[in-house]
Amino acid sequence: MVGLGRFIVKLLPIAPKFIVKRIAGRYVAGSNLHSAISLMKKMDKENTCFTIDVLGEEIKTLDEARFFVEEYSRVLDEIISHDIDANISLKPTAFGLLLDKNIAIQNIEEILNKAALSDIFVRLDMEDHRVTQATIDIVLLMQERGFENIGTVLQGRLFRTGEDIKNITKSLGSFSDFRICKGIYLEPNEISHTGYQDIVNATNDCIDLMLESDSYTAIASHDYPIINHSLKKLENMKMYPDNDSRPNSIGPRKGKGLGYEFQFLLGVRGDLRRELASKGHLTRVYVPYGTKWYEYGVRRIRENPDIAWHVTKTLLMPWTNRR
Ligand code: FAD
């Protein structure tokens, strides 16, 4: 069915927007905050928690950055007023990182400060290699300013990531809080692995390093070789949903697992997520919403033509659609 999926991907640019909207609907909560809140409430029985992402990345003016500050501020208000088990994920370039670093830092600090008042965690998503160091620097700076509710994402495919883990954990010790993923950006081969197996191996090495260095480790992958490796490593380290045996780990924190969690994109491998949750592992769903749903949905479908086929099947046979 990959061939059919590729064919569907080719048709995307000429497909009516309402069709793409149906397709994107699997990966995006909707175009506004209200839709994200309703979706999370609907998923209440799934024994999972959430991270909310306002869609949009690199911006052209600092006014656009203000939009994101205000929108994330509303997100925090809604998490609190609806008592939802969620934290937030934000993209530093949407806060102005590539326009004015100092303003971006102020913007991020404003949101971090508001989140800290309610003990809500803030994850800086990792974008392409132009901002890897700047994103890490912001996390280190914010921790230096006393915020413990911040962490970033590292990408297994980048050659530099092993060193980044060592440097961050050297500065932050067990307050290091990572999301580890393969990395969505296709980076040049001078700085990153490009083959599937190399990326899986490198990502698994990063997971080991994070767990061994007492960091909180959020494993963000739908790929069995990564999930199975993580489960085995956790068992070897005697880390269980109700017991983190590492002597230097920081212990229970609001809305977090004991030392680790598994993260999934909305609409992807819900069956695997539910299986992990049924075994007691903390799972989290990444819930994007916003008016940029079209760009995000198309990107998700392009990433994986197989999905185009699954989603088409879902449209024709809606009963097969299980988030
Ligand atoms: P893959 O080999 O790509 O996928 C394994 C299987 O999962 C596929 O065969 C398919 O069945 C299913 N699958 C995977 N992706 C999709 C999809 N889009 N739609 C439907 N099915 C799919 N990357 C960054 O660079 N920066 C980030 O900040 C970042 N944050 C992330 C947060 C979360 C919670 C997750 C889960 C991923 C994030 N990523 C991020 C993306 C990540 O780097 C990968 O690009 C993405 O997860 C696909 O890799 P995979 O490990 O799931 O393996």
Side-chain angles (χ1 to χ4, degrees):
M1 289 306 161
V2 179
L4 183 56
R6 292 228 165 87
F7 178 66
I8 294 164
V9 168
K10 281 209 178 108
L11 290 182
L12 273 180
I14 54 164
K17 225 172 170 183
F18 79 91
I19 292 191
V20 180
K21 189 171 188 179
R22 285 287 306 272
I23 297 176
R26 189 182 171 102
Y27 304 110
V28 180
S31 56
N32 55 41
L33 180 52
H34 173 72
S35 44
I37 299 291
S38 319
L39 180 122
M40 289 183 285
K41 284 189 165 170
K42 256 192 229 151
M43 289 178 73
D44 198 33
K45 291 196 182 67
E46 298 223 2
N47 190 19
T48 192
C49 54
F50 306 95
T51 192
I52 307 178
D53 167 67
V54 181
L55 289 172
E57 27 214 288
E58 204 170 325
I59 50 167
K60 296 201 173 59
T61 68
L62 287 170
D63 285 346
E64 290 176 73
R66 273 325 293 174
F67 160 81
F68 283 99
V69 176
E70 280 154 26
E71 189 64 17
Y72 271 103
S73 176
R74 289 198 324 119
V75 172
L76 291 171
D77 290 336
E78 293 291 296
I79 290 176
I80 297 161
S81 73
H82 291 272
D83 194 21
I84 288 174
D85 191 354
N87 59 38
I88 58 175
S89 281
L90 59 86
K91 294 199 167 44
T93 63
F95 279 64
L97 185 57
L98 286 171
L99 297 178
D100 184 325
K101 191 172 171 186
N102 289 331
I103 302 243
I105 290 172
Q106 275 173 33
N107 287 338
I108 291 171
E109 189 165 0
E110 190 176 327
I111 287 301
L112 195 55
N113 195 28
K114 179 163 178 168
L117 296 174
S118 301
D119 203 5
I120 294 176
F121 186 79
V122 178
R123 175 82 59 199
L124 303 190
D125 282 343
M126 187 55 84
E127 302 169 83
D128 67 70
H129 70 273
R130 292 172 302 163
V131 292
T132 310
Q133 191 57 49
T135 303
I136 293 172
D137 289 345
I138 294 174
V139 172
L140 297 178
L141 177 69
M142 291 299 144
Q143 289 254 2
E144 212 178 284
R145 290 185 183 171
F147 294 102
E148 289 169 355
N149 60 327
I150 185 167
T152 190
V153 181
L154 294 179
Q155 299 153 324
R157 72 166 66 232
L158 292 186
F159 296 149
R160 58 175 289 166
T161 299
E163 276 310 299
D164 286 337
I165 297 168
K166 287 180 196 152
N167 292 333
I168 295 171
T169 52
K170 200 165 151 201
S171 297
L172 305 182
S174 47
F175 281 93
S176 314
D177 190 319
F178 299 109
R179 176 194 299 153
I180 174 74
C181 60
K182 288 179 183 171
I184 204 167
Y185 304 90
L186 300 178
E187 300 286 12
N189 57 12
E190 293 79 32
I191 60 165
S192 79
H193 299 285
T194 52
Y196 168 79
Q197 196 55 51
D198 288 340
I199 294 173
V200 168
N201 294 344
T203 305
N204 283 340
D205 289 347
C206 292
I207 291 169
D208 293 355
L209 206 50
M210 288 173 178
L211 290 169
E212 284 160 11
S213 58
D214 301 320
S215 313
Y216 190 84
T217 308
I219 300 144
S221 173
H222 319 93
D223 204 12
Y224 284 102
I226 289 183
I227 304 238
N228 290 337
H229 172 89
S230 306
L231 290 169
K232 211 177 280 166
K233 180 71 184 172
L234 288 166
E235 194 170 346
N236 287 343
M237 291 187 65
K238 298 196 173 12
M239 289 178 69
Y240 303 107
D242 55 355
N243 179 34
D244 181 355
S245 62
R246 300 174 301 173
N248 298 320
S249 64
I250 57 173
R253 298 181 82 183
K254 186 185 157 205
K256 296 270 188 177
L258 272 179
Y260 73 95
E261 65 185 51
F262 289 95
Q263 298 192 347
F264 289 75
L265 297 174
L266 180 67
V268 181
R269 295 221 158 144
D271 47 354
L272 176 58
R273 170 172 52 78
R274 284 184 285 272
E275 189 189 324
L276 288 168
S278 74
K279 292 182 177 149
H281 302 289
L282 188 121
T283 65
R284 185 179 306 279
V285 182
Y286 187 94
V287 177
Y289 81 88
T291 51
K292 300 261 186 205
W293 58 264
Y294 180 83
E295 294 79 355
Y296 181 84
V298 167
R299 198 172 75 187
R300 292 269 92 87
I301 294 161
R302 286 225 167 96
E303 252 171 58
N304 190 338
D306 243 356
I307 301 317
W309 161 242
H310 290 309
V311 178
T312 308
K313 194 176 71 177
T314 300
L315 287 176
L316 299 175
M317 297 177 275
W319 57 91
T320 64
N321 184 4
R322 299 194 63 221
R323 279 182 198 269

